[in-house]
Structures are given as C-alpha cells and as structure tokens.
Amino acid sequence: MFMEEELGKDIVDGKIVDFSKMSIEELREMKEKLKKQEKAILDKINKELEQDDDELGL
Amino acid sequence: MEEQKKKTEGQEKETAEQTAEQINFLQLLKDLAKTQAQLAKINAQLVIKEGHDKINGVIDSTKAELEKQAKKFGANLEKAEKDYRNNNASKKGILEEYREALKDIKDSYENLMKDALDEKSKLEAAEQKIMAKQKQKQIEIKKARKEFAEKEKALKAEIHEATQKGDLKNAKQKIEELEQLKSNSKINLLETQNKMLQNKRENYRKLIEKVDEDYEKYIKDMKDEIDKANEDKNDKLSIIPKQNLFQKIMGSMFSKINGTKKFTQTVIGSLQSKITTLKEEKIPQIKKKIYQGREDFSNKIQNEKAKIEEVVQSMAMDCATKLVALEVKSKEKATNAKNAVVQGAKKVEDTAKQIAAGVAVTVASTVKSTVDKGKRTFKDVVGKGYELKMNFIQKAQDRLAEKQLEINKKMQILNPEKQSQSKGMEK
C-alpha cells in the first residue's frame, strides 16, 4: 500500500508526480489544487448527510 | 404466509440497498483519505524545501559576503577555508559548520511540524469515523421510524376495532400499549445522537482548520528564526566601518599586507564566534522554545477535544432528561409507581452515558508528552496517518460486503426461482 511508495511520489489526476522534485511554488499550487479537491469531497459528503437529514425531516 | 414472505423479502431488499449506500459512502471516505494523504505529503515536502531554500539562501549570501571581504583583504578564501578545515577538529569548513547550525534550527522546527501533521491525521480519522457513524445512525433512524409507524398503525387499527365492538377493556389496554410504544421509542434518542454527531463533526472540522493554520505559522516561524540567526551574523561580519576616500585607499593598502591572515583572524574569526554563540546559546534557547511549543500545541489540542466532548455530554444530558421524564410519566400512568421520580436522577445519568457512548469515537490520542515521541521521519508520520484512516474504512467495507453476501443468501432461500432465473439471464 502507501508505505511501499516514496514520500515524494504519488498519483494525481492519473499521472505519477514526484513532489520531491517540485519547486516551492509548484508545491504551493498543488496544495491549493488538492485542498479544492478535498473540499469538493467534503461538500459531497456533507450534501449526502444533509440529504439524509432532509429525508428524515430533521 | 405469502404476505409474510413478501414482507421479509421487502425488508431484505431495503437492507441490501442501505448496505450498498453505505459502501458507496465509504468509498467517498476512501477518496477523502487519499487526497488528505497527498496533502500531508505536500505539507511535509513544503517544510523540507522551505527550510532547505532558506538555509541555501543564507549560506549563499554569507559566501558572497566572505568573498567580498576576502577581496578587500586581498585574501584567498579557498586557502583560508582549507586552513580552517585543517585546524578544525571536525575537519569541516566554516560554511559547512554554519550550515549545520542552521540545519539544527530547521530540524527542531520539523519536530513541531511532525506533531502537527500527526495530530491533523488523527483528527481527520476521527472526523471520518464520525461521518461513517452519522451515516449509520441515519439508517437506524429510518428503520426505527418505519418500525414505529407500522406498530403504531397496527395498534391504532386494533383500538378502532375494539372501540367499534364496544370492547373497552381491550381498547384501554391497546391505548396503554400505544403510550408505551411512544415512550420506549428509540427515535428521539437516535435523532439526538445524529445531531450530536453533526455537532461533533463540525467542531472537529474547525479544529482541523486551526491545525492547518498553525502549520503554516510554524513554517513562517522557522524561516524567521533562520533569518534572525543570519541577521546577527551580518552585523558581526560587516567589520570594516565607513571610511572616506583617503582612509579607503590607505586601509585597502594596509589591509592587504598579510591579508589572508588578517582575513582569517577578523572575518572568519567573527563568523566562527557567531556560530559558537549560535550553537551554545541561541540554539539551546530555540530548542527550549520549540519544546514548550510542542507541549503547548499538544495541550491545546487536548483542551479543544475536551471542549467538544463537553458539548456532547451536555446534549446527552438534555436528551436523557427528556427521555427519562417521558418514561417516568408513562410509568406513573401505567403502574402508578411512587418512586419513579426518585429513580429519575440516576436514570438520567445512566441514559446520558448510554447516549454519549453511542456517538463516541476512539482514535489513538496524541502522545501526551513530547519526550517519548521518539525519532520519526515525515514518511513515518504521513504513512501512519494514512493507514489509520484506511484500516478503519477497509474494515467497515469488509463488514458491509459480508452483510451483502448474507442478504444475497437469504434472498436466494426466500426466492430460489427468481435467483436461478437471474443467473440464467446473466449467462
């Protein structure tokens, strides 16, 4: 699983990226992008849980 | 018989749909955990790179300053560095020594940032457990409401029927049963637990965002601290005071006599004494400050978690008070038990505990003391955090997959013809 991978490497948008080879600016940009991605998933989860609440009339 | 079979089949189908819904929900949590692991890797890389960049910048400017001063003294920097290395017990050059001292500051800050990353992962894992629990709770509420509605409908029909027949004894008994059904209903309890989970989840999210802000602040503090060390050094290195043209010409001529020796004594000497002060005085102070910072961070997180739990306890007490009051009222009506109210207080406490236990989330807490955290790499911290989340999600998914298999088996027993037909269709 994860531990077999390097700390620097990962797959983002289907491409292997090596974070250790990125500049600070590139890392900051990637961080922003992933934060947006994280927020989108959190929003989806919130929506699903809220939807259930609405269905239950809570 | 056929009606019962249809009812069971309907129930199993509904459970199968809910299980599939939960599996899909867990997939969302998996996606979240993966994105958060990537963010953790980037955060780790940012600290490493920001620190390296800062140190490289300082060393480059120091080297440029040394070259400038060497020129003024007509000295050979490389020769001075070689002499320094040969006369030094560690056999390291002055710039190498300076780099190591600055790296010591960076490494100390990295420990604080590993704490923050570690804690952030644990808070995220707790948040995800709460999410999964909330999803489960909502399914329980749906089920409880459906069961309640069915029983209520049946009892009301029986009351109506008994009243129509003039069987008042039976009607009264069914009314009491209906009262009991209402007071024993789990719906209120489950709904409160759902609200408690929602509240807990929102507070955990706020805490995670605070840790994120702390993390960025620590990166800035680390860079500022390295800058501060450099600023002090520059003050000492600029040893040649402002001079007029004549002084400059004369000074330039005199300083070049025995230049390398003078350069080593004054410029290299002042940098060396600066490094010694850094190692012996400043770095221990910085380490002490960071050690305290780690303790403060750990305490802050523990306090914030305790506050979240306090809100949970208070909501549990409110709910328990209402539930027990309902139960006492019902008991008084049904059996006229005199001591029902007296028993109430203890009952409220027990019920509150039971309610709170239903929303409890266990995630290995942060090591309280910074002393026994041992030596950890960023890879250890990021990997541990990822596994913590994935293990729980995977276990939950496996349990649900087993449940799905069981439902399929039951459906096959209930309706063997349909199952074999669908298999035939697949072929």
Side-chain angles (χ1 to χ4, degrees), chain A residues 2-3 5 7-11 20 22 24 27-28 30-31 34-35 37-38 41-42 45-46 48-49 52-53 55-56 58, chain B residues 25 28 35-36 38-39 41-43 45 49-50 53 131 134-135 138 142 145 191 194 201 205 212 216 379 382-383 386-387:
Chain A
F2 172 79
M3 292 309 281
E5 299 169 18
L7 175 64
K9 285 180 186 167
D10 214 321
I11 298 167
S20 66
M22 284 182 167
I24 292 172
L27 283 168
R28 292 246 169 238
M30 184 62 88
K31 185 174 172 175
L34 288 170
K35 273 187 94 69
Q37 195 173 305
E38 183 196 30
I41 302 171
L42 282 169
I45 290 169
N46 283 338
E48 191 150 326
L49 291 173
D52 283 345
D53 269 353
E55 278 173 29
L56 294 167
L58 294 172
Chain B
F25 187 76
L28 273 179
T35 305
Q36 287 173 341
Q38 288 175 335
L39 271 167
K41 283 182 185 181
I42 286 182
N43 275 327
Q45 287 292 344
K49 295 232 168 184
E50 294 259 24
D53 262 34
M131 287 166 172
Q134 207 177 346
K135 184 76 190 165
Q138 288 174 343
K142 271 184 202 169
R145 279 189 174 185
E191 283 178 355
N194 186 46
R201 187 161 66 88
R205 179 81 336 237
D212 248 349
E216 286 295 331
K379 191 178 169 182
V382 176
Y386 182 66
E387 283 187 356

Short mmCIF file of all heavy atoms in Angstrom, two decimals, chain A residues 2-3 5 7-11 20 22 24 27-28 30-31 34-35 37-38 41-42 45-46 48-49 52-53 55-56 58, chain B residues 25 28 35-36 38-39 41-43 45 49-50 53 131 134-135 138 142 145 191 194 201 205 212 216 379 382-383 386-387:
data_model
loop_
_atom_site.label_atom_id
_atom_site.label_comp_id
_atom_site.label_asym_id
_atom_site.label_seq_id
_atom_site.Cartn_x
_atom_site.Cartn_y
_atom_site.Cartn_z
N PHE A 2 0.54 2.21 0.85
CA PHE A 2 1.22 3.50 0.84
C PHE A 2 2.70 3.42 1.21
O PHE A 2 3.54 4.06 0.60
CB PHE A 2 0.50 4.43 1.82
CG PHE A 2 1.22 5.72 2.04
CD1 PHE A 2 1.13 6.72 1.10
CD2 PHE A 2 2.01 5.91 3.15
CE1 PHE A 2 1.82 7.90 1.28
CE2 PHE A 2 2.69 7.08 3.34
CZ PHE A 2 2.59 8.07 2.40
N MET A 3 2.99 2.59 2.23
CA MET A 3 4.36 2.56 2.75
C MET A 3 5.38 2.10 1.73
O MET A 3 6.56 2.34 1.87
CB MET A 3 4.42 1.68 4.00
CG MET A 3 3.68 2.25 5.18
SD MET A 3 4.13 3.96 5.56
CE MET A 3 5.68 3.69 6.42
N GLU A 5 5.44 3.16 -1.23
CA GLU A 5 5.77 4.29 -2.08
C GLU A 5 6.74 5.23 -1.38
O GLU A 5 6.89 5.23 -0.18
CB GLU A 5 4.50 5.06 -2.42
CG GLU A 5 3.48 4.25 -3.15
CD GLU A 5 2.15 5.00 -3.21
OE1 GLU A 5 2.16 6.22 -3.00
OE2 GLU A 5 1.15 4.35 -3.45
N LEU A 7 7.91 8.93 -0.10
CA LEU A 7 7.16 10.07 0.46
C LEU A 7 6.86 11.09 -0.63
O LEU A 7 5.84 11.75 -0.64
CB LEU A 7 7.97 10.72 1.58
CG LEU A 7 7.41 12.00 2.21
CD1 LEU A 7 6.09 11.75 2.91
CD2 LEU A 7 8.40 12.59 3.19
N GLY A 8 7.79 11.18 -1.61
CA GLY A 8 7.64 12.21 -2.64
C GLY A 8 6.69 11.84 -3.76
O GLY A 8 6.13 12.72 -4.40
N LYS A 9 6.51 10.56 -4.02
CA LYS A 9 5.73 10.17 -5.19
C LYS A 9 4.27 9.86 -4.90
O LYS A 9 3.95 9.33 -3.84
CB LYS A 9 6.37 8.93 -5.84
CG LYS A 9 7.65 9.27 -6.59
CD LYS A 9 8.24 8.01 -7.19
CE LYS A 9 9.59 8.32 -7.82
NZ LYS A 9 10.32 7.09 -8.13
N ASP A 10 3.43 10.18 -5.88
CA ASP A 10 2.02 9.84 -5.76
C ASP A 10 1.35 9.98 -7.12
O ASP A 10 1.97 10.49 -8.06
CB ASP A 10 1.31 10.73 -4.74
CG ASP A 10 0.22 9.96 -4.00
OD1 ASP A 10 -0.46 9.15 -4.65
OD2 ASP A 10 0.07 10.15 -2.79
N ILE A 11 0.11 9.52 -7.18
CA ILE A 11 -0.62 9.65 -8.45
C ILE A 11 -1.67 10.75 -8.30
O ILE A 11 -2.53 10.68 -7.43
CB ILE A 11 -1.29 8.31 -8.85
CG1 ILE A 11 -0.19 7.25 -9.07
CG2 ILE A 11 -2.13 8.47 -10.11
CD1 ILE A 11 -0.70 5.84 -9.18
N SER A 20 8.92 15.53 -4.48
CA SER A 20 10.27 15.92 -4.04
C SER A 20 11.01 16.70 -5.13
O SER A 20 12.00 17.37 -4.85
CB SER A 20 11.07 14.70 -3.61
OG SER A 20 11.31 13.88 -4.72
N MET A 22 9.49 18.92 -7.05
CA MET A 22 8.76 20.17 -7.34
C MET A 22 9.38 21.35 -6.61
O MET A 22 9.94 21.18 -5.52
CB MET A 22 7.31 20.03 -6.88
CG MET A 22 6.47 19.19 -7.79
SD MET A 22 4.79 19.20 -7.10
CE MET A 22 3.91 18.54 -8.47
N ILE A 24 9.03 25.08 -4.60
CA ILE A 24 8.10 25.53 -3.55
C ILE A 24 6.82 26.07 -4.19
O ILE A 24 5.71 25.78 -3.74
CB ILE A 24 8.76 26.57 -2.64
CG1 ILE A 24 9.87 25.90 -1.82
CG2 ILE A 24 7.76 27.23 -1.71
CD1 ILE A 24 10.74 26.83 -1.02
N LEU A 27 4.73 23.29 -5.43
CA LEU A 27 4.11 22.58 -4.29
C LEU A 27 2.93 23.38 -3.74
O LEU A 27 1.88 22.81 -3.42
CB LEU A 27 5.13 22.36 -3.17
CG LEU A 27 6.15 21.24 -3.38
CD1 LEU A 27 7.25 21.32 -2.34
CD2 LEU A 27 5.49 19.86 -3.30
N ARG A 28 3.11 24.69 -3.64
CA ARG A 28 2.01 25.55 -3.14
C ARG A 28 0.81 25.48 -4.08
O ARG A 28 -0.33 25.43 -3.62
CB ARG A 28 2.48 27.00 -2.98
CG ARG A 28 3.49 27.18 -1.87
CD ARG A 28 2.92 28.03 -0.74
NE ARG A 28 3.80 27.98 0.43
CZ ARG A 28 3.43 27.58 1.63
NH1 ARG A 28 2.20 27.18 1.84
NH2 ARG A 28 4.27 27.57 2.63
N MET A 30 0.08 22.98 -6.10
CA MET A 30 -0.50 21.63 -5.96
C MET A 30 -1.31 21.53 -4.66
O MET A 30 -2.36 20.89 -4.63
CB MET A 30 0.63 20.60 -6.00
CG MET A 30 0.18 19.16 -5.97
SD MET A 30 -0.82 18.66 -7.38
CE MET A 30 0.44 18.15 -8.53
N LYS A 31 -0.81 22.18 -3.63
CA LYS A 31 -1.51 22.16 -2.34
C LYS A 31 -2.89 22.82 -2.49
O LYS A 31 -3.90 22.28 -2.01
CB LYS A 31 -0.69 22.89 -1.27
CG LYS A 31 -1.29 22.80 0.12
CD LYS A 31 -0.40 23.41 1.17
CE LYS A 31 -1.13 23.46 2.50
NZ LYS A 31 -0.31 23.93 3.60
N LEU A 34 -5.16 20.45 -4.41
CA LEU A 34 -5.63 19.32 -3.60
C LEU A 34 -6.58 19.77 -2.49
O LEU A 34 -7.48 19.03 -2.11
CB LEU A 34 -4.44 18.54 -3.01
CG LEU A 34 -3.66 17.72 -4.03
CD1 LEU A 34 -2.37 17.19 -3.43
CD2 LEU A 34 -4.49 16.54 -4.54
N LYS A 35 -6.38 20.97 -2.00
CA LYS A 35 -7.30 21.49 -0.97
C LYS A 35 -8.70 21.69 -1.57
O LYS A 35 -9.70 21.42 -0.92
CB LYS A 35 -6.77 22.80 -0.38
CG LYS A 35 -5.81 22.57 0.78
CD LYS A 35 -5.41 23.84 1.47
CE LYS A 35 -6.27 24.15 2.65
NZ LYS A 35 -6.14 23.27 3.79
N GLN A 37 -9.81 19.96 -4.07
CA GLN A 37 -10.30 18.58 -4.27
C GLN A 37 -10.86 18.03 -2.96
O GLN A 37 -11.93 17.41 -2.93
CB GLN A 37 -9.14 17.73 -4.75
CG GLN A 37 -9.55 16.39 -5.32
CD GLN A 37 -8.35 15.69 -5.94
OE1 GLN A 37 -7.67 16.25 -6.80
NE2 GLN A 37 -8.08 14.48 -5.49
N GLU A 38 -10.13 18.28 -1.87
CA GLU A 38 -10.57 17.82 -0.55
C GLU A 38 -11.91 18.47 -0.19
O GLU A 38 -12.84 17.80 0.29
CB GLU A 38 -9.52 18.17 0.51
CG GLU A 38 -9.86 17.65 1.90
CD GLU A 38 -9.05 18.30 3.01
OE1 GLU A 38 -8.65 19.49 2.86
OE2 GLU A 38 -8.84 17.64 4.03
N ILE A 41 -14.82 16.91 -2.03
CA ILE A 41 -15.25 15.62 -1.45
C ILE A 41 -16.02 15.87 -0.15
O ILE A 41 -17.06 15.26 0.10
CB ILE A 41 -14.05 14.67 -1.21
CG1 ILE A 41 -13.30 14.41 -2.51
CG2 ILE A 41 -14.52 13.34 -0.62
CD1 ILE A 41 -11.98 13.67 -2.35
N LEU A 42 -15.50 16.79 0.66
CA LEU A 42 -16.18 17.11 1.93
C LEU A 42 -17.58 17.67 1.66
O LEU A 42 -18.54 17.32 2.35
CB LEU A 42 -15.37 18.12 2.74
CG LEU A 42 -14.17 17.57 3.50
CD1 LEU A 42 -13.30 18.70 4.04
CD2 LEU A 42 -14.58 16.67 4.66
N ILE A 45 -19.84 14.82 0.78
CA ILE A 45 -20.20 14.07 1.99
C ILE A 45 -21.26 14.84 2.78
O ILE A 45 -22.27 14.28 3.21
CB ILE A 45 -18.95 13.79 2.86
CG1 ILE A 45 -18.04 12.78 2.16
CG2 ILE A 45 -19.33 13.30 4.26
CD1 ILE A 45 -16.67 12.61 2.77
N ASN A 46 -21.02 16.14 2.95
CA ASN A 46 -21.99 16.99 3.67
C ASN A 46 -23.36 16.92 3.01
O ASN A 46 -24.38 16.80 3.68
CB ASN A 46 -21.53 18.45 3.69
CG ASN A 46 -20.42 18.67 4.70
OD1 ASN A 46 -20.28 17.90 5.64
ND2 ASN A 46 -19.63 19.68 4.49
N GLU A 48 -24.58 14.63 1.11
CA GLU A 48 -25.20 13.31 1.29
C GLU A 48 -25.82 13.17 2.68
O GLU A 48 -26.92 12.67 2.84
CB GLU A 48 -24.17 12.21 1.06
CG GLU A 48 -24.82 10.86 0.98
CD GLU A 48 -24.07 9.91 0.07
OE1 GLU A 48 -23.51 10.34 -0.93
OE2 GLU A 48 -24.08 8.73 0.40
N LEU A 49 -25.07 13.64 3.68
CA LEU A 49 -25.58 13.54 5.05
C LEU A 49 -26.74 14.50 5.28
O LEU A 49 -27.70 14.17 5.98
CB LEU A 49 -24.46 13.79 6.07
CG LEU A 49 -23.39 12.69 6.15
CD1 LEU A 49 -22.25 13.10 7.06
CD2 LEU A 49 -23.97 11.37 6.64
N ASP A 52 -29.84 13.09 3.71
CA ASP A 52 -30.45 12.08 4.57
C ASP A 52 -31.23 12.75 5.70
O ASP A 52 -32.30 12.31 6.06
CB ASP A 52 -29.37 11.16 5.16
CG ASP A 52 -28.89 10.15 4.14
OD1 ASP A 52 -29.58 9.99 3.12
OD2 ASP A 52 -27.84 9.54 4.35
N ASP A 53 -30.66 13.83 6.23
CA ASP A 53 -31.36 14.58 7.28
C ASP A 53 -32.68 15.11 6.77
O ASP A 53 -33.70 15.06 7.46
CB ASP A 53 -30.49 15.76 7.75
CG ASP A 53 -29.60 15.37 8.91
OD1 ASP A 53 -29.76 14.24 9.42
OD2 ASP A 53 -28.75 16.18 9.31
N GLU A 55 -34.44 13.95 4.25
CA GLU A 55 -35.36 12.82 4.05
C GLU A 55 -36.01 12.41 5.36
O GLU A 55 -37.15 12.00 5.41
CB GLU A 55 -34.59 11.62 3.48
CG GLU A 55 -34.39 11.69 1.98
CD GLU A 55 -33.48 10.58 1.50
OE1 GLU A 55 -33.45 9.51 2.13
OE2 GLU A 55 -32.79 10.80 0.48
N LEU A 56 -35.22 12.53 6.43
CA LEU A 56 -35.74 12.13 7.75
C LEU A 56 -36.55 13.25 8.39
O LEU A 56 -37.15 13.06 9.44
CB LEU A 56 -34.57 11.78 8.68
CG LEU A 56 -33.75 10.55 8.30
CD1 LEU A 56 -32.47 10.50 9.09
CD2 LEU A 56 -34.54 9.28 8.53
N LEU A 58 -35.25 16.01 9.59
CA LEU A 58 -34.53 16.54 10.76
C LEU A 58 -34.14 18.00 10.56
O LEU A 58 -33.85 18.42 9.47
CB LEU A 58 -33.26 15.70 11.02
CG LEU A 58 -33.50 14.27 11.44
CD1 LEU A 58 -32.18 13.51 11.48
CD2 LEU A 58 -34.15 14.17 12.80
N PHE B 25 -20.80 5.29 0.34
CA PHE B 25 -20.40 6.38 1.24
C PHE B 25 -18.95 6.18 1.71
O PHE B 25 -18.16 7.12 1.76
CB PHE B 25 -21.36 6.45 2.43
CG PHE B 25 -21.14 7.64 3.31
CD1 PHE B 25 -21.57 8.90 2.91
CD2 PHE B 25 -20.50 7.52 4.53
CE1 PHE B 25 -21.37 10.02 3.72
CE2 PHE B 25 -20.30 8.62 5.35
CZ PHE B 25 -20.73 9.87 4.93
N LEU B 28 -16.41 7.29 -0.68
CA LEU B 28 -16.15 8.73 -0.60
C LEU B 28 -15.09 9.02 0.48
O LEU B 28 -14.20 9.84 0.30
CB LEU B 28 -17.43 9.49 -0.24
CG LEU B 28 -18.37 9.91 -1.36
CD1 LEU B 28 -19.60 10.62 -0.77
CD2 LEU B 28 -17.69 10.85 -2.32
N THR B 35 -6.79 11.86 -0.76
CA THR B 35 -6.46 13.27 -1.02
C THR B 35 -5.73 13.86 0.18
O THR B 35 -4.76 14.60 0.03
CB THR B 35 -7.75 14.07 -1.32
OG1 THR B 35 -8.42 13.42 -2.39
CG2 THR B 35 -7.46 15.49 -1.71
N GLN B 36 -6.20 13.51 1.38
CA GLN B 36 -5.56 14.06 2.58
C GLN B 36 -4.13 13.53 2.74
O GLN B 36 -3.25 14.25 3.22
CB GLN B 36 -6.41 13.72 3.81
CG GLN B 36 -7.68 14.58 3.86
CD GLN B 36 -8.64 14.18 4.95
OE1 GLN B 36 -8.58 13.06 5.47
NE2 GLN B 36 -9.56 15.08 5.30
N GLN B 38 -2.17 12.83 0.23
CA GLN B 38 -1.36 13.59 -0.73
C GLN B 38 -1.05 14.98 -0.18
O GLN B 38 0.06 15.48 -0.32
CB GLN B 38 -2.12 13.72 -2.06
CG GLN B 38 -2.16 12.39 -2.82
CD GLN B 38 -3.00 12.46 -4.08
OE1 GLN B 38 -3.90 13.27 -4.20
NE2 GLN B 38 -2.71 11.57 -5.02
N LEU B 39 -2.05 15.57 0.48
CA LEU B 39 -1.83 16.89 1.09
C LEU B 39 -0.77 16.81 2.19
O LEU B 39 0.06 17.71 2.32
CB LEU B 39 -3.14 17.42 1.68
CG LEU B 39 -4.01 18.23 0.72
CD1 LEU B 39 -5.40 18.42 1.30
CD2 LEU B 39 -3.39 19.58 0.42
N LYS B 41 1.68 14.69 2.30
CA LYS B 41 2.99 14.56 1.64
C LYS B 41 3.50 15.93 1.18
O LYS B 41 4.67 16.25 1.33
CB LYS B 41 2.87 13.65 0.41
CG LYS B 41 2.79 12.17 0.73
CD LYS B 41 2.73 11.39 -0.56
CE LYS B 41 2.54 9.92 -0.31
NZ LYS B 41 2.51 9.15 -1.54
N ILE B 42 2.58 16.71 0.61
CA ILE B 42 2.97 18.05 0.14
C ILE B 42 3.38 18.93 1.32
O ILE B 42 4.37 19.64 1.25
CB ILE B 42 1.82 18.68 -0.69
CG1 ILE B 42 1.76 17.98 -2.03
CG2 ILE B 42 2.02 20.18 -0.87
CD1 ILE B 42 0.74 18.50 -2.99
N ASN B 43 2.61 18.86 2.40
CA ASN B 43 2.96 19.65 3.59
C ASN B 43 4.34 19.28 4.10
O ASN B 43 5.11 20.15 4.50
CB ASN B 43 1.92 19.42 4.69
CG ASN B 43 0.72 20.35 4.52
OD1 ASN B 43 0.87 21.48 4.05
ND2 ASN B 43 -0.45 19.88 4.86
N GLN B 45 6.80 17.94 2.30
CA GLN B 45 7.77 18.43 1.32
C GLN B 45 7.98 19.93 1.44
O GLN B 45 9.10 20.42 1.27
CB GLN B 45 7.31 18.11 -0.11
CG GLN B 45 7.42 16.65 -0.50
CD GLN B 45 8.87 16.17 -0.61
OE1 GLN B 45 9.79 16.95 -0.68
NE2 GLN B 45 9.05 14.87 -0.60
N LYS B 49 11.52 21.64 1.91
CA LYS B 49 12.03 22.55 0.88
C LYS B 49 12.17 24.00 1.35
O LYS B 49 13.16 24.65 1.05
CB LYS B 49 11.09 22.53 -0.34
CG LYS B 49 11.07 21.19 -1.02
CD LYS B 49 11.34 21.31 -2.48
CE LYS B 49 11.59 19.91 -3.01
NZ LYS B 49 11.94 19.88 -4.37
N GLU B 50 11.17 24.47 2.08
CA GLU B 50 11.24 25.85 2.56
C GLU B 50 12.47 26.01 3.46
O GLU B 50 13.17 27.01 3.38
CB GLU B 50 9.96 26.22 3.35
CG GLU B 50 8.70 26.26 2.52
CD GLU B 50 8.28 27.66 2.11
OE1 GLU B 50 9.13 28.55 2.07
OE2 GLU B 50 7.08 27.83 1.81
N ASP B 53 15.68 25.79 1.26
CA ASP B 53 15.82 27.01 0.46
C ASP B 53 16.31 28.17 1.30
O ASP B 53 17.16 28.95 0.87
CB ASP B 53 14.45 27.39 -0.15
CG ASP B 53 14.35 26.92 -1.58
OD1 ASP B 53 14.92 25.84 -1.87
OD2 ASP B 53 13.70 27.61 -2.40
N MET B 131 -18.34 10.68 10.51
CA MET B 131 -19.14 10.69 9.29
C MET B 131 -19.79 9.31 9.06
O MET B 131 -20.98 9.21 8.77
CB MET B 131 -18.27 11.03 8.07
CG MET B 131 -17.84 12.46 8.00
SD MET B 131 -16.50 12.64 6.80
CE MET B 131 -16.36 14.42 6.73
N GLN B 134 -22.46 8.71 11.52
CA GLN B 134 -23.65 9.52 11.23
C GLN B 134 -24.49 8.85 10.12
O GLN B 134 -25.71 8.81 10.21
CB GLN B 134 -23.22 10.92 10.79
CG GLN B 134 -24.27 11.96 11.08
CD GLN B 134 -23.83 13.36 10.71
OE1 GLN B 134 -22.66 13.63 10.46
NE2 GLN B 134 -24.79 14.27 10.66
N LYS B 135 -23.79 8.33 9.13
CA LYS B 135 -24.50 7.64 8.03
C LYS B 135 -25.25 6.43 8.59
O LYS B 135 -26.42 6.19 8.27
CB LYS B 135 -23.46 7.19 6.98
CG LYS B 135 -24.04 6.56 5.75
CD LYS B 135 -24.63 7.60 4.85
CE LYS B 135 -25.41 6.97 3.73
NZ LYS B 135 -26.28 7.92 3.05
N GLN B 138 -28.28 7.50 10.59
CA GLN B 138 -29.42 7.90 9.76
C GLN B 138 -30.19 6.68 9.24
O GLN B 138 -31.42 6.71 9.14
CB GLN B 138 -28.93 8.78 8.60
CG GLN B 138 -28.51 10.16 9.11
CD GLN B 138 -27.89 11.05 8.07
OE1 GLN B 138 -27.46 10.58 7.02
NE2 GLN B 138 -27.83 12.34 8.33
N LYS B 142 -34.14 5.76 10.04
CA LYS B 142 -35.13 5.37 9.02
C LYS B 142 -35.83 4.07 9.43
O LYS B 142 -37.05 3.95 9.36
CB LYS B 142 -34.41 5.13 7.67
CG LYS B 142 -34.30 6.38 6.81
CD LYS B 142 -33.68 6.01 5.47
CE LYS B 142 -33.06 7.24 4.83
NZ LYS B 142 -32.23 6.93 3.68
N ARG B 145 -38.06 4.54 12.53
CA ARG B 145 -39.29 5.27 12.17
C ARG B 145 -40.29 4.36 11.45
O ARG B 145 -41.49 4.44 11.69
CB ARG B 145 -38.95 6.44 11.26
CG ARG B 145 -38.45 7.63 12.03
CD ARG B 145 -38.36 8.79 11.10
NE ARG B 145 -38.02 9.98 11.82
CZ ARG B 145 -37.96 11.18 11.28
NH1 ARG B 145 -38.21 11.30 10.00
NH2 ARG B 145 -37.65 12.21 11.98
N GLU B 191 -32.25 10.40 16.99
CA GLU B 191 -32.20 11.72 16.36
C GLU B 191 -31.25 12.66 17.12
O GLU B 191 -30.51 13.41 16.50
CB GLU B 191 -33.60 12.33 16.30
CG GLU B 191 -34.43 11.73 15.19
CD GLU B 191 -35.85 12.27 15.13
OE1 GLU B 191 -36.24 13.05 16.02
OE2 GLU B 191 -36.57 11.89 14.20
N ASN B 194 -27.79 11.73 16.31
CA ASN B 194 -27.43 12.22 14.97
C ASN B 194 -27.02 13.70 15.03
O ASN B 194 -26.03 14.10 14.43
CB ASN B 194 -28.62 12.03 14.02
CG ASN B 194 -28.28 12.39 12.59
OD1 ASN B 194 -27.23 12.00 12.08
ND2 ASN B 194 -29.14 13.15 11.94
N ARG B 201 -18.85 16.65 14.46
CA ARG B 201 -18.17 16.68 13.15
C ARG B 201 -17.78 18.11 12.78
O ARG B 201 -16.66 18.37 12.35
CB ARG B 201 -19.11 16.09 12.09
CG ARG B 201 -18.49 15.89 10.75
CD ARG B 201 -19.30 14.91 9.94
NE ARG B 201 -20.62 15.41 9.60
CZ ARG B 201 -20.89 16.13 8.51
NH1 ARG B 201 -19.94 16.43 7.68
NH2 ARG B 201 -22.12 16.53 8.26
N ARG B 205 -13.95 19.62 12.37
CA ARG B 205 -13.51 20.29 11.14
C ARG B 205 -12.84 21.63 11.47
O ARG B 205 -11.79 21.97 10.95
CB ARG B 205 -14.71 20.46 10.19
CG ARG B 205 -14.47 21.13 8.91
CD ARG B 205 -13.89 20.40 7.72
NE ARG B 205 -13.07 19.22 7.77
CZ ARG B 205 -11.85 19.15 7.23
NH1 ARG B 205 -11.32 20.16 6.63
NH2 ARG B 205 -11.17 18.03 7.26
N ASP B 212 -4.22 23.42 10.61
CA ASP B 212 -3.69 23.83 9.30
C ASP B 212 -3.05 25.22 9.39
O ASP B 212 -1.96 25.45 8.86
CB ASP B 212 -4.85 23.90 8.28
CG ASP B 212 -4.72 22.82 7.23
OD1 ASP B 212 -3.65 22.18 7.18
OD2 ASP B 212 -5.67 22.62 6.47
N GLU B 216 1.09 26.41 8.95
CA GLU B 216 1.64 27.48 8.11
C GLU B 216 2.43 28.47 8.97
O GLU B 216 3.45 28.99 8.55
CB GLU B 216 0.52 28.20 7.35
CG GLU B 216 -0.08 27.39 6.20
CD GLU B 216 0.91 27.11 5.06
OE1 GLU B 216 1.83 27.92 4.84
OE2 GLU B 216 0.76 26.07 4.39
N LYS B 379 7.97 10.59 6.61
CA LYS B 379 7.38 9.42 5.94
C LYS B 379 6.61 8.57 6.96
O LYS B 379 5.50 8.10 6.68
CB LYS B 379 8.49 8.61 5.28
CG LYS B 379 7.99 7.53 4.36
CD LYS B 379 9.14 6.80 3.71
CE LYS B 379 8.62 5.57 3.01
NZ LYS B 379 9.69 4.79 2.39
N VAL B 382 3.30 10.55 7.89
CA VAL B 382 2.31 10.56 6.81
C VAL B 382 1.74 9.14 6.60
O VAL B 382 0.53 8.96 6.48
CB VAL B 382 2.93 11.12 5.50
CG1 VAL B 382 1.94 11.03 4.35
CG2 VAL B 382 3.36 12.56 5.69
N GLY B 383 2.64 8.16 6.60
CA GLY B 383 2.22 6.77 6.38
C GLY B 383 1.29 6.27 7.48
O GLY B 383 0.27 5.63 7.21
N TYR B 386 -2.21 7.79 7.17
CA TYR B 386 -2.96 7.22 6.05
C TYR B 386 -3.50 5.83 6.43
O TYR B 386 -4.66 5.51 6.21
CB TYR B 386 -2.06 7.13 4.82
CG TYR B 386 -2.73 6.61 3.58
CD1 TYR B 386 -3.75 7.33 2.96
CD2 TYR B 386 -2.36 5.38 3.02
CE1 TYR B 386 -4.36 6.87 1.81
CE2 TYR B 386 -2.98 4.90 1.87
CZ TYR B 386 -3.98 5.65 1.28
OH TYR B 386 -4.59 5.18 0.15
N GLU B 387 -2.63 5.04 7.04
CA GLU B 387 -3.04 3.68 7.42
C GLU B 387 -4.13 3.69 8.47
O GLU B 387 -5.04 2.86 8.44
CB GLU B 387 -1.82 2.88 7.90
CG GLU B 387 -0.98 2.44 6.73
CD GLU B 387 0.15 1.51 7.10
OE1 GLU B 387 0.34 1.26 8.30
OE2 GLU B 387 0.84 1.06 6.18
#
